[in-house]
Amino acid sequence: MEDEEYAGGVQKKFIYINRRAPHGTVYAHEALETVLIGAAFDQDVSMLFIDDGVYQLKKEQRPDSLEMKNFSKAFKALEMYDVEKLFVETESLQERGLNESDLLVDVELVARAKVAELIDQQDVVLSF
Amino acid sequence: MKFAILVNEGPYQHQASDSAYQFAVAAIESGHEVARVFFYHDGVNNGSNLTTPPQDDRHIQKRWSALAAESGVDLVLCVAACQRRGMVDEGERDRNKKDAINVADGFRISGLGQLIEAGIEADRLLTFGD
């Protein structure tokens, strides 16, 4: 019913844009679910974290105190799913007093002025 | 052109489902194909046949069901989102031992793979959300 391997042989460039903080709404968690399911389709996948979305990658989240699931651990496993292109907008980090060392995983920083160019290179844009 | 649509918000609270519907109708009227509409997050609530809006308001679920019947658009509700929100078809009722069904005609429950597949196969995937 789901998760079937896609046999079409078409490879497109997918980018998942994460704009929201991890636990206030369900979007971040369900975006990650989409990325993990999508990995079975052998597409060229990137993720971009902008605005409050950068908080999704913050180290030392303890959402268990909110009875929320700590799905941030799954970001570390993305490499095993061949999802290796993680982009973070530099200004979004700076505006929130964060830097790369606050993040769970290695990322590629991209300047705000270059984000449109990155999106323009994609075939499918999914924004959560 | 072949379109696929992603609807991320529930009915009435947000305009997303209305805009998606109006886009789909306009695209089909212009000779384009709308292959699939995938409903995710609260968007799955668009498929509930238990809604009864006031008579002078649009009936969002019935509009989608009619579009599926008339134009063959594939309306897919995300299974994980449905399970969290109490959207139940026959299969889900039996699997999770519920005593009711509320998925409207023209909608079907399936997995996120259907969204990715739509992104691959369509010329454009449009997101309607918050």
Side-chain angles (χ1 to χ4, degrees):
Chain A
M1 160 175 182
E2 59 178 316
D3 302 10
E4 71 271 32
E5 191 93 17
Y6 185 71
V10 181
Q11 193 179 51
K12 285 190 173 181
K13 288 169 75 77
F14 277 66
I15 194 163
Y16 297 87
I17 304 179
N18 293 272
R19 298 177 287 130
R20 295 176 171 94
H23 306 293
T25 61
V26 78
Y27 300 102
H29 189 187
E30 292 196 332
L32 189 57
E33 297 277 344
T34 312
V35 173
L36 296 176
I37 296 284
F41 286 75
D42 199 24
Q43 302 295 300
D44 181 346
V45 175
S46 303
M47 296 182 78
L48 169 65
F49 298 84
I50 57 174
D51 301 338
D52 279 350
V54 299
Y55 286 124
Q56 293 179 30
L57 297 177
K58 178 80 176 61
K59 281 178 184 165
E60 293 169 11
Q61 295 178 40
R62 290 185 293 108
D64 45 311
S65 59
L66 307 170
E67 295 191 35
M68 300 292 237
K69 194 169 170 180
N70 190 0
F71 57 85
S72 70
K73 294 171 191 164
F75 288 113
K76 286 188 178 177
L78 284 174
E79 217 173 346
M80 295 191 306
Y81 290 83
D82 292 324
V83 179
E84 289 163 347
K85 284 179 278 189
L86 305 180
F87 297 95
V88 172
E89 193 195 68
T90 312
E91 288 86 343
S92 294
L93 274 184
Q94 288 169 348
E95 286 161 5
R96 288 161 182 80
L98 298 172
N99 59 54
E100 264 183 285
S101 66
D102 294 308
L103 305 181
L104 281 159
V105 285
D106 291 333
V107 299
E108 188 173 331
L109 294 179
V110 50
R112 186 163 287 166
K114 294 282 182 189
V115 164
E117 197 179 303
L118 175 64
I119 294 172
D120 199 38
Q121 292 163 4
Q122 311 298 321
D123 298 310
V124 180
V125 179
L126 288 159
S127 174
F128 292 102
Chain B
M1 191 172 271
K2 185 172 175 177
F3 290 107
I5 292 173
L6 170 63
V7 177
N8 284 337
E9 301 297 339
Y12 304 101
Q13 173 86 359
H14 287 264
Q15 197 183 356
S17 179
D18 294 278
S19 301
Y21 171 79
Q22 284 149 8
F23 175 85
V25 169
I28 291 165
E29 280 176 358
S30 307
H32 300 290
E33 180 190 353
V34 178
R36 179 172 294 156
V37 183
F38 190 87
F39 297 86
Y40 199 24
H41 314 296
D42 277 353
V44 297
N45 291 313
N46 286 288
S48 171
N49 62 14
L50 296 178
T51 57
T52 312
Q55 281 188 356
D56 61 352
D57 199 355
R58 73 250 189 251
H59 198 305
I60 292 178
Q61 170 267 307
K62 283 189 177 171
R63 261 185 350 193
W64 281 118
S65 292
L67 186 69
E70 290 157 14
S71 306
V73 179
D74 186 22
L75 306 178
V76 181
L77 308 174
C78 169
V79 60
C82 282
Q83 287 168 344
R84 286 195 173 98
R85 292 166 179 81
M87 290 298 302
V88 182
D89 65 2
E90 260 179 53
E92 287 299 304
R93 177 195 61 190
D94 297 344
R95 193 169 303 118
N96 299 311
K97 299 188 171 46
K98 304 295 180 186
D99 56 9
I101 291 173
N102 64 335
V103 170
D105 290 343
F107 290 85
R108 64 188 179 93
I109 294 180
S110 190
L112 275 167
Q114 300 283 306
L115 170 62
I116 307 298
E117 186 186 83
I120 295 168
E121 292 187 345
D123 298 309
R124 294 283 188 281
L125 170 63
L126 286 91
T127 301
F128 291 84
D130 196 12

